[in-house]
Amino acid sequence: DVKVTQSSRYLVKRTGEKVFLECVQDMDHENMFWYRQDPGLGLRLIYFSYDVKMKEKGDIPEGYSVSREKKERFSLILESASTNQTSMYLCASNIKGESYEQYFGPGTRLTVT
Amino acid sequence: GENVEQHPSTLSVQEGDSAVIKCTYSDSASNYFPWYKQELGKRPQLIIDIRSNVGEKKDQRIAVTLNKTAKHFSLHITETQPEDSAVYFCAAISWGKLQFGAGTQVVVTP
């Protein structure tokens, strides 16, 4: 049973703070993804990674960076949080190859005040 | 890049009736089209998917159809039940990345 976990369910930060969101998967998946989910906009891809130390920009990378030092862990970093980054953040992972199914974490509801 | 449009944004159906959600995509090279269901407060989960080499796929009360020529695909839920109430997302793959639609809030009323 695939398990994707995220470090926090709820997080409240102040404008300008540096924020770290952590995601861990236990299925040895090569690919990992960070999305943000906003009402009426669906899930938008921020960054993704196909391998350790590898990262690719998604559709909305501005204001974010990522780190993947170990295969099972993918971190999303907000260098200087802003109120427009208040959102639900979802991590996902999948295996490299023909199966594209992505397994999602429970999400982190981030509020920036 | 890929652009996926999803309609309607909300759908209210009577229990036992059918529900249909439609999506269009722009990248003719897309070859994989999943549907995810997200119940309130939970993570999205894959419920059905279809690849471009088939036109229809069915799994119990849910089915997906694909029209490659018109670049649209649809989710059909028959005999809806209260547990079908959720947000449903369609998606299309492009360059290894999933592009999601905006989502459809389905409410099944008794």
Side-chain angles (χ1 to χ4, degrees), chain A:
Chain A
D1 194 24
V2 178
K3 195 171 182 183
V4 182
T5 57
Q6 295 182 227
S7 50
S8 306
R9 290 301 304 271
Y10 300 93
L11 209 52
V12 180
K13 295 291 181 180
R14 292 193 180 275
T15 302
E17 279 193 88
K18 190 168 186 175
V19 182
F20 293 87
L21 303 183
E22 303 283 335
C23 175
V24 177
Q25 49 91 8
D26 67 355
M27 284 303 291
D28 203 34
H29 285 171
E30 290 87 0
N31 305 329
M32 297 189 75
F33 308 83
W34 273 108
Y35 295 90
R36 66 176 280 176
Q37 181 178 10
D38 299 288
L41 297 177
L43 282 73
R44 293 180 292 166
L45 183 64
I46 304 171
Y47 267 96
F48 60 103
S49 170
Y50 288 148
D51 204 348
V52 176
K53 295 196 187 292
M54 180 268 176
K55 60 184 178 184
E56 292 282 346
K57 292 181 180 179
D59 299 319
I60 52 164
E62 296 80 19
Y64 304 95
S65 62
V66 290
S67 172
R68 192 160 180 207
E69 296 296 317
K70 292 185 178 182
K71 189 175 185 179
E72 67 271 18
R73 188 181 298 270
F74 192 34
S75 302
L76 180 69
I77 303 154
L78 287 67
E79 294 289 341
S80 178
S82 63
T83 54
N84 62 11
Q85 292 179 308
T86 291
S87 186
M88 171 67 81
Y89 290 88
L90 288 163
C91 172
S93 71
N94 69 0
I95 198 165
K96 188 184 292 184
E98 288 297 309
S99 173
Y100 296 116
E101 178 177 2
Q102 293 188 12
Y103 297 87
F104 285 86
T108 296
R109 170 74 64 185
L110 173 67
T111 302
V112 183
T113 61

Side-chain angles (χ1 to χ4, degrees), chain B residues 10-101:
Chain B
T10 58
L11 183 58
S12 184
V13 294
Q14 203 78 17
E15 183 177 353
D17 287 350
S18 295
V20 181
I21 304 170
K22 298 182 179 182
C23 289
T24 61
Y25 62 98
S26 59
D27 186 355
S28 56
S30 291
N31 62 358
Y32 174 72
F33 307 90
W35 287 88
Y36 283 79
K37 175 183 179 182
Q38 186 178 28
E39 296 177 18
L40 188 63
K42 299 203 173 168
R43 67 193 77 192
Q45 290 194 298
L46 180 73
I47 55 170
I48 195 167
D49 56 15
I50 191 168
R51 293 182 186 267
S52 56
N53 57 350
V54 299
E56 185 172 356
K57 185 176 177 182
K58 193 173 181 182
D59 183 4
Q60 299 183 337
R61 295 187 298 104
I62 60 173
V64 58
T65 59
L66 171 65
N67 183 325
K68 282 175 57 180
T69 304
K71 288 192 261 184
H72 65 71
F73 56 112
S74 302
L75 179 72
H76 304 253
I77 308 172
T78 57
E79 300 172 24
T80 52
Q81 300 170 5
E83 54 265 35
D84 295 327
S85 294
V87 178
Y88 292 81
F89 294 99
C90 65
I93 199 152
S94 180
W95 293 95
K97 301 181 294 181
L98 281 181
Q99 194 74 33
F100 285 87

